[in-house]
Amino acid sequence: MLDSVQEIKRRKQKWIDFYDGRINSVVLINQNCGERPLPYPENKTERIEYALKLYRIYLDSMQYVDDDRIPYIYPYTGTEIFAHAFGCGVHYPVNDMPFALPFIHSSKELAKVKYPDLKNSYVSELFELADKLRSEEPDALLALPDIQSPLDIAALIWNKEDFFTAMYDDPQAVNELIAMTEKFLIEFLDLWFDKYGKDFIAHYPDYYMPYGITLSEDEVGAISPAMFKEFSLDSLNRLSDRYGIIGMHCCANSVHQWANFKLIRNLKLLNIVQPYAICQKAYVYFKDVCAQMHGSGNVEESVIGKKENKNIRAVIQDYAENRDIASEKGKSWRIWEEKFTKN
């Protein structure tokens, strides 16, 4: 019988070795954990039950799946949580994730935006949820909720059509709002890490971080490289400097920003969700910059497995419908991983 405590400790160290460049790959086998309840206010009980179920499935799977997943509990949300704290309404569509509705529509309305009281905002419910989950599983690692970048949170608060034009017409107002969202994000993260520890699982995709911060940066797909430098890069670097390292998800068409991504200090993992061909190029482009975990399927044999790309550090992902398939896929990827290491 595998000692789960020691195995989790071993897996955490493997991730650290991966980030530090001592090994080139880790493997995650995703399993069918059933349909996830939507993060609606009326679904709190169901969300807690699902999060605990997910944790216990992956805790048990360490006995039969040879991968590098670290079991965790996930107080998951939609993208609306921080924007709602600043005054945005929230729309709850039928059978889909909730999202924030714009609170302001021009720079003239910026005065309406008040800095939130963390303990008396919607965000405080995340701490209540996390506390309940931790009370059930005191030793479990927590995943961060859906963290958007300061730019992305500002773009939810401010109607996007006007927000993007204001970058030209009133950049001071745009930067003022971004400064507010960055400050609030820091206040939240400081309290979160103080309560639950510095290591965590990223909200998406679910990779382990020994410390630092992870977030989504999607609006950069709609702006120029110069605007990225003016409205996003500094805040990302300040966050990375404050927490030590940073992991970033981007599902936008961001090829025009890739050179800027290389300017993000202490970028440890980059997740780009784009078509297969773009992910192939990303693995090569960022091979000397950071670890990578891209969407649109694995590109192991076509890119990662080539000797000329030996510097690529990749999270290998696969999916299994049941435990038997998960076990076989874990074995298969270990064989591939050994071959990859030898290359």
Side-chain angles (χ1 to χ4, degrees):
M1 189 74 171
L2 194 68
D3 183 329
S4 296
V5 173
Q6 290 303 312
E7 178 61 13
I8 289 172
K9 183 178 179 181
R10 185 195 68 79
R11 293 185 182 197
K12 286 183 177 181
Q13 184 59 52
K14 185 173 180 182
W15 279 93
I16 292 169
D17 291 342
F18 173 64
Y19 288 130
D20 290 346
R22 289 186 286 272
I23 58 174
N24 282 42
S25 63
V26 289
V27 175
L28 292 182
I29 307 297
N30 300 301
Q31 297 184 60
N32 183 359
C33 297
E35 186 175 355
R36 189 176 75 173
L38 290 167
Y40 291 178
E42 64 269 24
N43 288 344
K44 285 183 180 179
T45 300
E46 291 82 359
R47 290 168 64 194
I48 290 171
E49 291 173 351
Y50 179 85
L52 294 172
K53 173 187 173 183
L54 181 81
Y55 171 70
R56 289 160 184 165
I57 286 174
Y58 282 120
L59 189 67
D60 178 58
S61 77
M62 290 196 301
Q63 302 296 328
Y64 59 87
V65 180
D66 183 13
D67 70 350
D68 301 303
R69 178 175 297 284
I70 298 170
Y72 64 95
I73 46 179
Y74 185 12
Y76 63 92
T77 66
T79 60
E80 81 288 353
I81 50 174
F82 294 101
H84 179 68
F86 278 89
C88 290
V90 177
H91 180 62
Y92 296 95
V94 178
N95 295 324
D96 209 343
M97 295 293 283
F99 58 88
L101 301 170
F103 181 56
I104 63 172
H105 296 78
S106 71
S107 59
K108 294 179 181 179
E109 296 182 333
L110 185 59
K112 290 170 53 179
V113 180
K114 305 300 181 185
Y115 187 81
D117 177 356
L118 179 64
K119 295 182 179 179
N120 292 298
S121 71
Y122 177 62
V123 174
S124 67
E125 295 182 13
L126 285 172
F127 292 98
E128 296 174 11
L129 180 60
D131 286 343
K132 289 178 181 177
L133 290 167
R134 266 289 177 83
S135 69
E136 293 287 336
E137 295 287 353
D139 298 324
L141 193 67
L142 273 176
L144 277 182
D146 195 329
I147 303 291
Q148 305 288 300
S149 73
L151 169 67
D152 282 21
I153 298 170
L156 293 173
I157 298 167
W158 190 332
N159 176 269
K160 288 185 182 180
E161 291 88 342
D162 192 84
F163 181 74
F164 289 131
T165 57
M167 289 180 171
Y168 289 100
D169 299 335
D170 198 347
Q172 182 176 344
V174 172
N175 274 318
E176 183 178 339
L177 182 57
I178 291 172
M180 290 175 68
T181 60
E182 179 186 343
K183 180 181 177 182
F184 187 65
L185 192 56
I186 288 171
E187 186 180 356
F188 169 83
L189 289 167
D190 283 355
L191 181 57
W192 186 273
F193 293 140
D194 183 62
K195 284 175 66 69
Y196 308 119
K198 293 186 182 300
D199 66 335
F200 62 94
I201 300 294
H203 92 275
Y204 183 84
D206 51 351
Y207 56 93
Y208 173 70
M209 289 282 275
Y211 60 97
I213 178 180
T214 58
L215 47 70
S216 296
E217 180 67 290
D218 296 323
E219 299 300 340
V220 295
I223 62 177
S224 70
M227 285 184 166
F228 178 93
K229 289 181 178 179
E230 183 174 359
F231 297 107
S232 184
L233 182 60
D234 288 347
S235 62
L236 293 177
N237 278 333
R238 282 190 294 268
L239 289 169
S240 182
D241 291 345
R242 183 179 186 88
Y243 299 106
I245 58 177
I246 190 169
M248 191 172 78
H249 157 79
C250 183
C251 59
N253 184 348
S254 61
V255 176
H256 63 296
Q257 303 288 9
W258 283 5
N260 281 332
F261 288 174
K262 287 186 175 183
L263 301 178
I264 300 172
R265 291 193 289 270
N266 297 315
L267 179 63
K268 282 292 181 179
L269 187 142
L270 179 63
N271 168 246
I272 290 174
V273 180
Q274 284 292 294
Y276 183 82
I278 293 179
C279 291
Q280 283 184 308
K281 293 177 181 178
Y283 274 117
V284 176
Y285 188 84
F286 293 102
K287 67 180 181 179
D288 298 316
V289 177
C290 61
Q292 300 179 71
M293 184 181 183
H294 301 319
S296 299
N298 290 310
V299 289
E300 297 76 29
E301 299 298 333
S302 59
V303 176
I304 301 172
K306 291 184 177 181
K307 289 184 178 180
E308 61 267 30
N309 293 331
K310 63 181 180 179
N311 289 346
I312 292 174
R313 286 174 290 140
V315 181
I316 307 302
Q317 305 172 77
D318 209 336
Y319 174 77
E321 185 63 33
N322 58 56
R323 61 185 293 162
D324 290 337
I325 295 174
S327 179
E328 289 304 313
K329 287 194 172 185
K331 294 174 184 176
S332 176
W333 280 117
R334 286 300 186 224
I335 294 171
W336 183 91
E337 192 176 37
E338 183 179 354
K339 172 184 164 186
F340 175 40
T341 301
K342 287 181 179 178
N343 284 343

